[in-house]
Structure formats: C-alpha cells, structure tokens
Amino acid sequence: VFTGKANCPYYAKAEHLADYLQAALPNFRVHKITQHPDKWEQWLRDICETNGWEHRQSPIIWRELLDRGGKGQLLGGLNDFLEYAQQYYGVTSMMLSEEMLDIAEENLQAHLEIVKEDEEIKSLIKPMQIWITSASAPICYQLIPLLANGEVFGMTTEISIHLLDTGQFKEVLCSIVMEAEDMAFPLLRSVLEHTEIDEAFIEADVIIVLDDVLLNLEVQSLENYIREVSEICQVYAPLIEKNAKSEVRVISSGKTFANLKATLIMTYGPSIKPENIIAVATSWESAAKAMLARKLNMSTAGVKDVIVWGNTTGSNYIDLSHAKLYGYDCAIWGPANFQRPLLNMIYDREWIHSEFLSAQGSLHSRVGRCTGMLPAHAVATVLQYWYHGSPPGEIVSVGVLSEGQFCVPEGIIFSMPVRFQNCNWEVIKELEIDGTTQEVLGRLAHELIQ
C-alpha cells in the first residue's frame, strides 16, 4: 500500500517503481491512496495512531497481510522501499529529481480532477435533509427508525437526519447519533447532531418541530408559557426562511401548543408556504380508534374515519358521526370493503360521553401519558401520507390553515378532515356536519383565537 501527498516527488518515485514491479511480477499487487496536501498531515497522524506506527513523512508504505489479517507490516518511506525492492527483487529506481517533480505535479492535477469528479457524482445523489428540533425528546428516539426504514419516503430515497438541540443535551444527541449509525439502515446516509442555532435547517426538505414546554400553571401563567413558545418560533421561522429549501415542509408536533407553533412559524416566516406547515393530530386519532376497538372487541385497523377537530394538543372534539367499522363481527357480513356506521354499533351512548369524550375520560388520559411511540408513529404516518398519499377514501385529521371551511374562521391552524394525494393535501369540504358539531367547532375556534 502506497500513500502520500499528491504533490510529493518522493511519493511519485515510489509509485513509479511500484508500477514497474506490479507489471513485471505476476503476484505483486499495489494499492495507492493519494491524499491532498492540505489533508495529508492529519491523515498520516490518524493512520499511525490506528496501527501504532511511527512515521512522519510522505510517502508511507506498508504490506497488507492478506493471508492472515492483522494491521499490516510497515516498510517506511521511499528509501525503505528502495532498499526492500533491491533486496527482494534486485530492482531499484534511477528516476531523476526533475522527472520526480514533473510526475508529482501531474499527480496533484490528476488527484484534483478525481476529487472534483467524485463530488459531482455525489451531488447528483442528494439525500433528503430531515431536521428535528428539540431532538433530545423521547419521541425523536422512536422516530428515527421509522424515518430511516424506507417506508415513509420510499425505498429508493436516501435521507440525512439532523438533530438540533441546545448545548446541554449534546451528550444525548451524540448517543442517539451513535445508536442510529449502529443500526446501519441502507437508506440513512448520515445522522448529525447540531447545537449551534445559526446552522439550523440548512438545505432542509422536512422540519419536524418537537419543542415543548412543561405546563405547570402553579409555577407561571399560561401567558408566560405562550410567550416562551413564541420566542422559540421567532428564532426558528427566520432561519427556516434563510436556510431551508423553498418547498420545505414543516410539521409541528409535541404535547403542547402544536397548533400555536405552526401558526407562529407561519406568522414569523411569511415566505414559507402556508400549505407546507401542518400540526399533527394523528395521536388523538389513533388513540381514539384503539379505545373504540377495545369497546367493540375488534381490531383497531378496522376503525376508520374518526375525525379530530380543533386544537391537536389542547381543546379538541372527537367526531364519530362519520366513523365506520370494517370487519366487525355482527349479524351482517360482507366482503372486505363492507362497512358499518360506528355509532349504530355502540349502544352505550353514556360511555361515549362519560369515558370517551369527557376531558377527564380515558382518551385524554391515554394521550397525555404517551411519551414517544405513539406520537412518533403519528409524525411518520402523516409524512408517509404527504409524500405517497393517504389510503383512498379514508379521512385523515391534520391541523391546517383554515380558509373558512366548515365556518371555521380564516387564518388559524385548525384540525379538520383532509385527504393526501399527489404530494399535497386538501380539506374534505363535502362532509356534512350537524348543528351540534358546528356549535362545538365555533367554540373551539374561539378558544384557539384567544
């Protein structure tokens, strides 16, 4: 193995002799590693430290022990190799200094061209840049495998994940990076940790905002918590405008203020496309379906079209008026696409109001206790739908910018029924809602505006 600075005349002389030996001897093989002059010193220190060698000049030459493994046998520099070739093969080099310098110059130019060509090839294969804020949160730990396994963005799309948090969580981020690298996902190009806010969101395709505040109204007022969230978004939004791609998609998640974070990013980042900012409501949707399925003693996958209206992390309304059951064990059976209205199958309406829908009921308790797996799955599911479309005919609840649909005031992020197709979403306007639901929506919208 011959390694040296691209512009080193001694490296040129050594590899010239090596090329001659390789051509003349049937079992003599040469491997060359040419380094840019600016990177040579660090590379030499690293290789010597790894192998326990002492060497300080270009070139460095060693034998790989291919037949039995090991770290290799260090031969040394040019003079050591000339002596080695003379003793073993009776061959030496008579190359003159002027010729050595000419070849060294050619080597440098060839190396620069090869590096440029490699960079051009790499630039053609650009991984999708995914940024996750407040990445020390438990949800991030659960989210990375879901993003990296290929199901969200497709089995041919490479991704790079960027973990952003404050300096106090640097060790946590480094641990997540190491574990993600150890899992060796084929489509995960890189995982990087960032603690400098100025470098946030560079070339971002997707930004997942996980920032949360721990609500304790005995410690400080709700207004102070809202101010805290506002300050975070005032920092993020201009950086997204400055550093991220023009078509960047922003997903607001977390346990608190998801709708507010989405609204504030939209407010403080006016050049970000409003339709590319959404708040995730899928945690409520999934938990509601699971609770209903347990009540009906059926598979959760058979419960469809449960709608979450309002604030995805606050006051919301779980609407069952359009919900359907597939594969439900009842008196009437049909093919796989046969459906039954959910409310026709639940006769215990008292349970719906006392346990299911009430603020003190089991559903609110379950969603409030979720620490990672469910919200991570919710984010991954919404991203998958956004890029590949939601299941045909199914309703998905997402917090999106209201344009007056369902008499919800314009300009607020409000969870409502949508469908995803062709890498976009659209509100399902044709749904009919009754007077009671309309009254609830008016109250939820008022609370959000406040």
Side-chain angles (χ1 to χ4, degrees):
V1 180
F2 293 79
T3 303
K5 288 190 293 185
N7 63 347
C8 174
Y10 302 109
Y11 175 55
K13 186 170 184 175
E15 69 163 344
H16 184 268
L17 177 57
D19 288 341
Y20 171 77
L21 291 174
Q22 181 167 246
L25 301 172
N27 297 317
F28 190 92
R29 294 289 176 266
V30 174
H31 177 60
K32 302 174 188 176
I33 306 173
T34 306
Q35 294 292 333
H36 191 281
D38 295 342
K39 298 180 179 180
W40 166 253
E41 295 294 339
Q42 184 61 50
W43 190 91
L44 180 61
R45 280 197 297 270
D46 291 343
I47 196 71
C48 288
E49 184 178 337
T50 301
N51 292 282
W53 294 335
E54 284 287 339
H55 193 84
R56 298 182 180 179
Q57 296 176 333
S58 171
I60 179 172
I61 304 164
W62 70 88
R63 286 184 61 197
E64 290 285 0
L65 308 180
L66 298 179
D67 55 341
R68 51 196 163 93
K71 65 181 181 180
Q73 177 185 350
L74 178 65
L75 299 183
L78 172 62
N79 291 335
D80 299 296
F81 178 59
L82 292 176
E83 184 179 341
Y84 177 87
Q86 180 69 48
Q87 289 182 351
Y88 272 79
Y89 310 115
V91 176
T92 189
S93 174
M94 304 302 293
M95 184 183 289
L96 300 176
S97 298
E98 186 176 341
E99 191 177 1
M100 289 164 57
L101 291 170
D102 290 342
I103 293 177
E105 181 62 29
E106 291 176 9
N107 281 347
L108 178 60
Q109 294 304 318
H111 176 73
L112 294 176
E113 289 176 9
I114 290 170
V115 169
K116 183 180 179 181
E117 185 178 329
D118 288 344
E119 289 176 352
E120 289 175 352
I121 292 172
K122 288 179 181 178
S123 70
L124 297 175
I125 312 171
K126 291 184 178 179
M128 182 175 284
Q129 305 294 324
I130 317 296
W131 283 77
I132 304 174
T133 72
S134 196
S136 62
I139 175 178
C140 179
Y141 192 80
Q142 306 284 346
L143 182 58
I144 290 175
L146 299 178
L147 297 177
N149 65 13
E151 293 183 8
V152 172
F153 301 107
M155 299 305 295
T156 59
T157 303
E158 289 190 343
I159 65 171
S160 288
I161 296 178
H162 301 264
L163 308 178
L164 177 66
D165 215 319
T166 57
Q168 68 186 52
F169 295 108
K170 186 175 179 66
E171 284 191 23
V172 177
L173 298 185
C174 290
S175 298
I176 297 174
V177 168
M178 182 177 65
E179 199 159 348
E181 290 174 343
D182 289 346
M183 295 179 77
F185 289 104
L187 297 173
L188 184 58
R189 175 77 70 85
S190 62
V191 186
L192 303 170
E193 48 90 9
H194 302 270
T195 55
E196 298 294 332
I197 191 65
D198 293 341
E199 63 186 33
F201 313 130
I202 293 176
E203 291 297 301
D205 293 286
V206 174
I207 298 172
I208 302 168
V209 180
L210 302 181
D211 295 76
D212 260 330
V213 293
L214 298 175
L215 286 178
N216 187 346
L217 298 180
E218 295 179 0
V219 175
Q220 61 177 331
S221 66
L222 184 64
E223 288 78 8
N224 285 337
Y225 286 117
I226 291 174
R227 190 174 294 112
E228 189 177 328
V229 174
S230 178
E231 289 171 356
I232 293 170
C233 295
Q234 285 184 63
V235 174
Y236 284 167
L239 286 170
I240 294 172
E241 288 185 302
K242 175 185 175 184
N243 296 336
K245 294 179 181 175
S246 59
E247 295 293 326
V248 63
R249 300 180 182 188
V250 181
I251 291 185
S252 176
S253 184
K255 287 188 175 183
T256 56
F257 301 118
N259 288 48
L260 179 63
K261 286 182 289 187
T263 303
L264 291 172
I265 289 172
M266 201 176 294
T267 302
Y268 296 128
S271 68
I272 306 170
K273 293 186 177 180
E275 64 271 21
N276 283 2
I277 303 175
I278 64 175
V280 174
T282 324
S283 294
W284 283 95
E285 194 178 298
S286 299
K289 290 177 180 178
M291 194 170 173
L292 291 164
R294 280 190 294 274
K295 178 69 175 177
L296 293 164
N297 194 28
M298 64 176 293
S299 168
T300 304
V303 183
K304 308 287 186 184
D305 299 347
V306 174
I307 302 173
V308 181
W309 298 94
N311 191 345
T312 62
T313 52
S315 298
N316 55 43
Y317 173 59
I318 311 298
D319 183 2
L320 304 181
S321 60
H322 300 275
K324 306 176 186 66
L325 304 178
Y326 292 82
Y328 180 58
D329 187 5
C330 63
I332 303 174
W333 276 82
N337 62 350
F338 177 68
Q339 63 188 35
R340 304 285 290 163
L342 181 142
L343 289 178
N344 288 0
M345 301 295 105
I346 295 184
Y347 300 102
D348 189 357
R349 297 304 172 91
E350 180 62 31
W351 174 84
I352 292 177
H353 293 287
S354 62
E355 278 292 313
F356 185 72
L357 293 180
S358 73
Q360 291 76 37
S362 300
L363 181 59
H364 282 73
S365 176
R366 290 182 65 83
V367 175
R369 289 200 306 268
C370 293
T371 58
M373 198 181 302
L374 178 59
H377 177 264
V379 171
T381 300
V382 168
L383 274 172
Q384 183 180 10
Y385 290 169
W386 208 344
Y387 280 88
H388 301 291
S390 52
E394 279 192 32
I395 295 173
V396 182
S397 301
V398 177
V400 297
L401 182 66
S402 170
E403 296 179 349
Q405 304 96 330
F406 308 108
C407 298
V408 174
E410 295 183 25
I412 61 172
I413 297 289
F414 196 88
S415 181
M416 56 181 73
V418 305
R419 67 170 67 91
F420 289 90
Q421 56 186 8
N422 301 322
C423 294
N424 292 303
W425 55 264
E426 62 176 356
V427 176
I428 306 176
K429 301 176 184 177
E430 61 270 22
L431 279 183
E432 294 183 5
I433 58 174
D434 57 29
T436 303
T437 301
Q438 190 65 69
E439 185 178 331
V440 173
L441 298 191
R443 175 175 56 81
L444 294 176
H446 177 74
E447 287 185 15
L448 267 174
I449 291 170
Q450 294 301 109

